[in-house]
Each structure stands twice: as structure tokens, then as C-alpha cells.
Amino acid sequence: MSRLVYVLNGPNLNLLGKRQPEIYGRETLADIEKACRLLAGELKLDLEFHQSNREYEIIDWIHEARGRAVGLIINPAAFTHTSVAILDALNAYDGPVIEVHLSNVHKREAFRHHSYVSLRADGVIAGFGGQGYELALRRIARLIEPKAA
Ligand code: DQA
């Protein structure tokens, strides 16, 4: 059985480490990917890890995950608050979906308080920095165990 998990990252997350470090921290996306790969090894999960500034690429990866990946972790970045198209794509995906935000979006501007993706996500992690991705991986590993809760 597949143990493949998709980790998808939205716009501007390629600038992590340089972009508003007081909000997003000094870790780069490459650091986060490295930590995820290390943990995935322990959890015996395989990873597809991607970032794009283009909405359609994120949608195409969600389509690709259909029938292939046992779970999906997504930080849609600003698309969180705008993208019905990403929500629709996630609604066409069957496995567990965990939404991750580095910052605590609820502590920030009002426009960040609404998430289209949360209408589909099975869980949401916000404000844990890069560690949020690791928590999401652990949750997916738990959810795909037989008789998971
Ligand atoms: C973010 C929060 C979003 O509001 C913002 O647009 C981002 C990053 C986060 O990880 O905290 O780009 O998703």
C-alpha cells in the first residue's frame, strides 16, 4: 500500500527565511523540507514536496495526488484566503488533508481569519512555525493506521 504524502506550499514561501522573518522565522523552505524528509523516514512515509507561486500548479499537484497519495499537507499561503479553485480541487481528493500555516493567522489581519481550505481540511495547524509541518506528518501517519482516531 502507498505511504506517499504530498506537501504543497503556495506563493512567496520560496522566500522563507528572508521574507518578514519576524513573522515567518529564519528557517528556509529547504530547512523545512529537510526536517520533513527526516521525520518521514522515521514514520516510513514517502514525500512529494513542492512549492509554487502559481495557483494552477498547486491545483495540478492536488489532482496528481488523487488515487496516489495517502494524505496531503498544504500551506496555501495567500491562496488560503482567496482560492475557491484550490478548495474545489481538495474536495476532489479523498484522503486526509491538513492545512498548515507558519504564523498564527488568527492573531493577524482580519482578512487572514477566513480560509477556504479550512472548509475541506481535516485539521488546521497555525503558529507553530516550520514545526507545524512535522506535526501534520505525524497526524497523517496516525490517520492512516488501521482503526485510526
Ligand atoms: C501563511 C499565512 C498567510 O496568510 C500568508 O499569506 C502566507 C503564509 C503562513 O504560513 O503563516 O503567505 O500561510
Side-chain angles (χ1 to χ4, degrees), residues 22-35:
E22 67 289 357
I23 295 176
Y24 298 114
R26 300 218 170 261
E27 246 184 328
T28 65
L29 196 60
D31 294 333
I32 291 175
E33 177 173 359
K34 202 169 154 194

Side-chain angles (χ1 to χ4, degrees), residues 61-78:
W61 285 321
I62 297 169
H63 292 177
E64 199 181 274
R66 278 161 48 83
R68 218 183 148 222
V70 289
L72 203 150
I73 296 168
I74 184 163
N75 181 349

Side-chain angles (χ1 to χ4, degrees), residues 1-2 12 22 98 117:
M1 201 196 118
S2 152
N12 303 304
E22 67 289 357
I98 311 291
V117 169

Side-chain angles (χ1 to χ4, degrees), residues 11 13 19 24 75 77-78 80-81 100-103 105 108 112:
L13 293 174
R19 169 198 184 204
Y24 298 114
N75 181 349
T80 308
H81 319 297
V100 172
H101 299 285
L102 295 142
S103 65
V105 281
R108 301 181 63 196
R112 295 186 204 276

Side-chain angles (χ1 to χ4, degrees), residues 27-45:
E27 246 184 328
T28 65
L29 196 60
D31 294 333
I32 291 175
E33 177 173 359
K34 202 169 154 194
C36 284
R37 291 201 179 279
L38 201 71
L39 181 61
E42 274 174 43
L43 298 172
K44 305 204 177 348
L45 296 172

